[in-house]
Amino acid sequence: QGEDGSSAGAATAARQQLLAAVEQHCSNSPCPAGPLSRQFRQLIPSDSVMQSGQFRVLHWNILAQALTGAEGGSHFDRVEPGVTSWERRRWYLLRELLRFQPDILCLNEVDIYDYLLENLAPLGYRGCFRAKPRSPCLSFPGNFGPDGTAILYNTHRFECLQSETGLLIEPNEDGTEFLDAPSGAGSQVFVLLRLRLLNPPATDDSDGGGELWVAATHLKAKVTFSNLRLLQTKALITALKERVPANSPLLLCGDFNGESFEPFYNVIVQSGLDIASAYKQPEEPPFTTFKYVGKSAEPQARGIDYIWYRRLRPLALLEIPPRDSVESNGLPCAAFPSDHFCLSVDFCFCKN
């Protein structure tokens, strides 16, 4: 899986070929639209970091195709007809995944994992996927199967040393029994990979091993489930402490479905994992999802997606588009295929 001239060259050629196909299909699709304008904001001068030790992670709730309402019954009432059809949307999803060239992809609401691998494997990506045991996608006719969480990584930058998936069980608030007894299997999952950077830089300021643990999760939705998200967060923290050495670099990405004033947020900060939120600059973004649900005149604009990190240095982050770029009809829209914006951060390894 190491990078050599032939495999890297083949991946580059495959990417160029796929990009050409994506652009052609996007241009010829119903409601053609260019991508939303987004820029990376430098947190540290780019010339102060060795290029070989830098990598890019992207987190995104891609919106499961079954939940778009493309076949009718959508709660995205303001979405233009045809925008969320699979034949159109499949190309716009690939365009967003490709345009920022991430080394690690952490994805939620994935009900198209085979489709992603089919297109991204020739570019060098491999990954791990865990479906939700009780995915809501299965309730919709013509669904592609259950949705879940996935992590994909570029094999020309990283090798995978270990992978694991797990369930976040759903106990009652008093912890005495499970909401979905007798099985105890919740509807939320997590994925955990141990990766190693190929050819890490040997500098005085870097972690020479280049090993990195990456976790991805998706917590229970709806504002009323704040207490359940708190319990799921505690379960996730316990799982990470049991599996990830305390001094190892760590990324935790996910749609936590709660804003920073919810109890789960401080539990993460005070968990002893010693992790920080990359997008807290100095506050969390005012929204990472922006949508009009039903016939409401006011949008649901909430900051509920996060990239947490430990023993890494954030170098640059992808800024959230301004409110007026999506305000008229919200997300998804012709230019953007999900109801969540993707987050992306450039990191490098560091000792402190």
Side-chain angles (χ1 to χ4, degrees):
Q1 293 192 356
E3 181 167 6
D4 57 62
S6 59
S7 61
T12 299
R15 183 177 187 278
Q16 292 173 343
Q17 183 176 8
L18 180 58
L19 274 174
V22 166
E23 291 303 329
Q24 180 179 3
H25 281 87
C26 288
S27 299
N28 295 334
S29 70
C31 308
L36 291 176
S37 177
R38 301 188 66 181
Q39 304 294 327
F40 276 89
R41 174 159 60 93
Q42 293 294 137
L43 305 176
I44 294 176
S46 57
D47 58 0
S48 66
V49 180
M50 290 183 62
Q51 190 69 25
S52 60
Q54 183 174 330
F55 64 92
R56 176 169 293 174
V57 60
L58 184 145
H59 155 72
W60 193 19
N61 179 328
I62 66 173
L63 177 60
Q65 180 61 28
L67 305 183
T68 63
E71 305 304 322
S74 173
H75 62 195
F76 302 117
D77 284 354
R78 299 193 183 196
V79 175
E80 301 172 55
V83 162
T84 56
S85 71
W86 175 239
E87 285 307 311
R88 178 191 188 278
R89 186 170 175 262
R90 59 191 293 185
W91 301 106
Y92 283 80
L93 285 168
L94 285 178
R95 184 173 73 179
E96 288 299 317
L97 292 172
L98 292 171
R99 65 185 290 212
F100 300 116
Q101 301 187 55
D103 299 301
I104 300 171
L105 289 162
C106 297
L107 306 176
N108 298 139
E109 282 195 29
V110 178
D111 61 349
I112 54 165
Y113 185 67
D114 289 344
Y115 171 76
L116 294 179
L117 275 188
E118 176 188 349
N119 285 278
L120 298 181
L123 281 60
Y125 287 93
R126 302 291 184 272
C128 184
F129 170 73
R130 179 65 181 264
K132 298 176 183 176
R134 300 198 319 264
S135 168
C137 294
L138 299 177
S139 301
F140 293 87
N143 66 78
F144 295 162
D147 76 302
T149 291
I151 300 177
L152 292 90
Y153 61 96
N154 186 342
T155 59
H156 300 296
R157 297 299 315 282
F158 288 93
E159 62 176 332
C160 184
L161 305 178
Q162 186 177 340
S163 64
E164 183 177 351
T165 68
L167 294 170
L168 295 177
I169 56 178
E170 299 184 2
N172 287 327
E173 292 185 19
D174 61 5
T176 57
E177 59 181 305
F178 299 113
L179 293 176
D180 50 345
S183 70
S187 59
Q188 315 307 128
V189 300
F190 70 89
V191 177
L192 178 64
L193 300 186
R194 180 163 67 103
L195 304 177
R196 181 164 59 202
L197 184 69
L198 300 175
N199 304 314
T203 67
D204 292 339
D205 193 40
S206 68
D207 186 330
E211 285 196 12
L212 167 69
W213 292 79
V214 184
T217 195
H218 185 190
L219 301 190
K220 187 73 172 180
K222 296 185 180 179
V223 174
T224 55
F225 284 109
S226 173
N227 288 336
L228 182 49
R229 285 189 288 276
L230 175 61
L231 293 171
Q232 291 177 336
T233 298
K234 290 179 177 179
L236 178 61
I237 289 169
T238 298
L240 292 177
K241 286 184 173 180
E242 290 174 348
R243 293 160 174 80
V244 182
N247 62 343
S248 295
L250 171 66
L251 283 174
L252 171 58
C253 303
D255 173 2
F256 284 75
N257 268 309
E259 296 177 81
S260 59
F261 56 76
E262 278 199 19
F264 83 89
Y265 188 94
N266 279 336
V267 165
I268 293 177
V269 172
Q270 300 169 9
S271 65
L273 287 175
D274 193 25
I275 59 178
S277 173
Y279 268 77
K280 188 178 181 182
Q281 298 287 333
E283 304 295 330
E284 297 289 355
F287 58 87
T288 60
T289 180
F290 192 105
K291 57 190 175 184
Y292 291 89
V293 177
K295 300 188 181 299
S296 173
E298 295 298 322
Q300 288 188 5
R302 305 170 63 215
I304 58 178
D305 296 270
Y306 303 90
I307 295 178
W308 301 84
Y309 69 96
R310 177 179 77 192
R311 288 179 64 84
L312 296 164
R313 179 175 296 142
L315 307 174
L317 59 81
L318 183 63
E319 294 190 315
I320 303 296
R323 186 182 179 102
D324 59 8
S325 68
V326 293
E327 188 150 21
S328 59
N329 291 317
L331 301 176
C333 62
F336 197 79
S338 175
D339 57 339
H340 289 246
F341 290 112
C342 53
L343 308 184
S344 186
V345 180
D346 290 342
F347 286 103
C348 69
F349 288 88
C350 63
K351 290 182 178 179
N352 300 312

